Amino acid sequence: MPIRILHIVTYMGRGGLETMLMNYYRAIDRTKVQFDFLTHRDFRADYDDEIEALGGKIYRLPSLNPFSRSYLGALDRFFAEHPEYRIVHSHLDCMSAIPLKAAKKHGVPVRIGHAHNSNQPRDAKYLLKLFYKRLIARNATQLFACSDEAGRWMFGDADFRVLNNAIDAGRYAFDPAVRGEVRHELDLPADALVVGHVGRFDPQKNHRFLVEIFEKMPEDARLLLVGDGVLRPDVEQQAEALGIRDRVLFTGVRTDVDRLLQAMDVFLMPSLFEGLPVSIVEAQAAGLPCLISDKVPIECKKTELVTQIPLEASPAEWAEAVLSAAEAPRGDTLAQIREAGFDIRANAEWLQNYYLSI
């Protein structure tokens, strides 16, 4: 029988950390290690069907609220009713302290806190998150991070391990034939400059600034936005107001990101903060020039395709950099991604052996 690892998440949609988890889940030897998921939403998410097909279990709690007796009671009951879990791995960033504390109370011997971002938005919950992030190391037995910067921000001087946001690199290798197919499917002109982005429509990803950048580009360019989220209607309205809606393609959530990347010429990420984004690793594996803000850790640069630009630079300056980057020839970067340690197979074997050893 395999050992079962309980991964604690918000929900298993097609976001960065969720995609990273699924990359590991698919590649791991499930006769030895099986993943289950404790989620905090009452709806079915994008990866739920695949999780169940792979043999995983999905449990649901109410939305996380550290001040709710109902939530804390449900969390307490869950661990009381499931003593079979000897390893829990939490991916709730600063708020991981709460389920890890409950797991500690119920005697779970291995409790892993995982940092996926190097900062948080300065919203109404910012101070609350800063308070709880200081409690993670107190309630965890091991600490993971997607990058050195994310680990230092989340855990300070505590010891942590970097677990790479690895991908199935071979799936993303550039293929001119696929590029032509996808452009035809999406009705993108064969010779058009296509700027792309993959990510949830939420404040962190800075879509509004991305659209401002694109508005400064030539009229024959196209913008390909892959993903969905609460801010998508606002971004669609912004594109309409700027008179560029007919040149912006909103694909929604897609299962074929590896194919969509083939159709792009430049990948753009002006994020306000990140950990180590999976999408940038995927874009590099597809041979795409990538322009990232200086709020995205430079650790994501695994090839010479990545250029960092100050977030304070104007949309026109960003647009000029996009046009310059687009002149670079598309190449095969598969070997570089693998040499950098970001191919999923070796990483999944390491994580599997780690779980088994502890």
Side-chain angles (χ1 to χ4, degrees):
M1 293 290 290
I3 64 167
R4 304 192 79 93
I5 313 300
L6 183 69
H7 289 278
I8 304 176
V9 298
T10 302
Y11 63 94
M12 287 303 291
R14 292 186 182 275
L17 80 87
E18 296 88 355
T19 297
M20 178 276 290
L21 277 175
M22 292 305 296
N23 287 340
Y24 277 91
Y25 192 18
R26 297 178 189 116
I28 212 160
D29 184 346
R30 292 183 297 279
T31 66
K32 296 179 180 178
V33 175
Q34 179 59 256
F35 286 4
D36 296 331
F37 297 84
L38 179 60
T39 71
H40 288 77
R41 294 293 186 271
D42 61 2
F43 55 79
R44 291 188 66 81
D46 301 296
Y47 285 125
D48 287 9
D49 288 346
E50 184 179 0
I51 288 169
E52 291 170 346
L54 293 174
K57 300 174 184 177
I58 303 171
Y59 305 98
R60 303 188 192 280
L61 289 180
S63 295
L64 192 155
N65 182 345
F67 305 114
S68 167
R69 287 188 176 184
S70 175
Y71 169 72
L72 295 175
L75 184 62
D76 193 61
R77 285 193 300 276
F78 175 85
F79 283 109
E81 294 169 1
H82 293 278
E84 68 271 24
Y85 291 109
R86 314 310 292 157
I87 301 176
V88 299
H89 192 153
S90 182
H91 306 271
L92 300 177
D93 271 343
C94 300
M95 307 311 285
S96 284
I98 296 166
L100 291 175
K101 181 179 180 180
K104 182 179 181 180
K105 173 185 174 182
H106 287 274
V108 178
V110 180
R111 306 177 301 277
I112 303 171
H114 199 137
H116 291 278
N117 279 306
S118 58
N119 208 326
Q120 293 289 324
R122 292 181 178 271
D123 56 17
K125 297 180 180 179
Y126 183 69
L127 293 179
L128 182 68
K129 292 175 181 178
L130 293 185
F131 171 79
Y132 277 105
K133 84 167 183 172
R134 293 197 294 266
L135 303 181
I136 295 175
R138 188 181 304 176
N139 292 294
T141 57
Q142 280 89 10
L143 301 172
F144 280 8
C146 65
S147 67
D148 285 332
E149 186 172 332
R152 288 194 301 271
W153 185 85
M154 184 70 70
F155 307 129
D157 295 331
D159 291 334
F160 61 88
R161 297 171 182 267
V162 172
L163 180 66
N164 289 333
N165 285 353
I167 64 171
D168 184 356
R171 285 181 53 200
Y172 295 86
F174 179 57
D175 186 333
V178 175
R179 174 185 174 85
E181 291 171 6
V182 176
R183 286 201 169 207
H184 178 72
E185 292 167 12
L186 298 179
D187 197 25
L188 293 169
D191 58 350
L193 169 62
V194 177
V195 180
H197 175 84
V198 179
R200 283 196 186 112
F201 282 76
D202 65 28
Q204 170 187 353
K205 301 299 183 180
N206 208 10
H207 280 87
R208 293 189 64 85
F209 184 60
L210 196 158
V211 170
E212 290 176 16
I213 295 168
F214 179 72
E215 192 267 335
K216 302 297 183 183
M217 300 187 63
E219 291 188 4
D220 58 350
R222 298 291 185 272
L223 178 59
L224 181 57
L225 298 177
V226 183
D228 211 339
V230 295
L231 294 183
R232 176 175 167 177
D234 293 341
V235 177
E236 290 182 343
Q237 290 176 13
Q238 177 193 12
E240 187 74 41
L242 290 173
I244 59 172
R245 181 63 184 84
D246 62 337
R247 297 194 286 124
V248 183
L249 178 58
F250 295 82
T251 72
V253 174
R254 296 282 294 244
T255 61
D256 58 345
V257 171
D258 54 319
R259 295 181 72 248
L260 295 177
L261 290 171
Q262 308 295 316
M264 301 176 188
D265 294 302
V266 178
F267 194 94
L268 195 55
M269 179 173 276
S271 296
L272 301 178
F273 62 91
E274 291 283 350
L276 196 147
V278 176
S279 57
I280 288 294
V281 180
E282 293 171 341
Q284 290 175 85
L288 274 174
C290 301
L291 300 185
I292 64 173
S293 77
D294 55 357
K295 306 303 180 184
V296 180
I298 197 62
E299 288 177 73
C300 73
K301 182 174 182 175
K302 303 305 171 186
T303 69
E304 293 305 311
L305 292 170
V306 176
T307 301
Q308 202 171 43
I309 301 177
L311 196 54
E312 293 75 17
S314 69
E317 290 173 306
W318 275 79
E320 184 178 346
V322 170
L323 296 176
S324 177
E327 296 176 0
R330 196 79 170 258
D332 183 354
T333 58
L334 184 58
Q336 295 176 63
I337 297 298
R338 287 174 171 163
E339 288 170 8
F342 276 76
D343 190 55
I344 191 61
R345 287 165 182 79
N347 283 275
E349 183 178 5
W350 180 91
L351 182 61
Q352 172 184 304
N353 291 336
Y354 182 82
Y355 284 142
L356 292 170
S357 71
I358 60 175

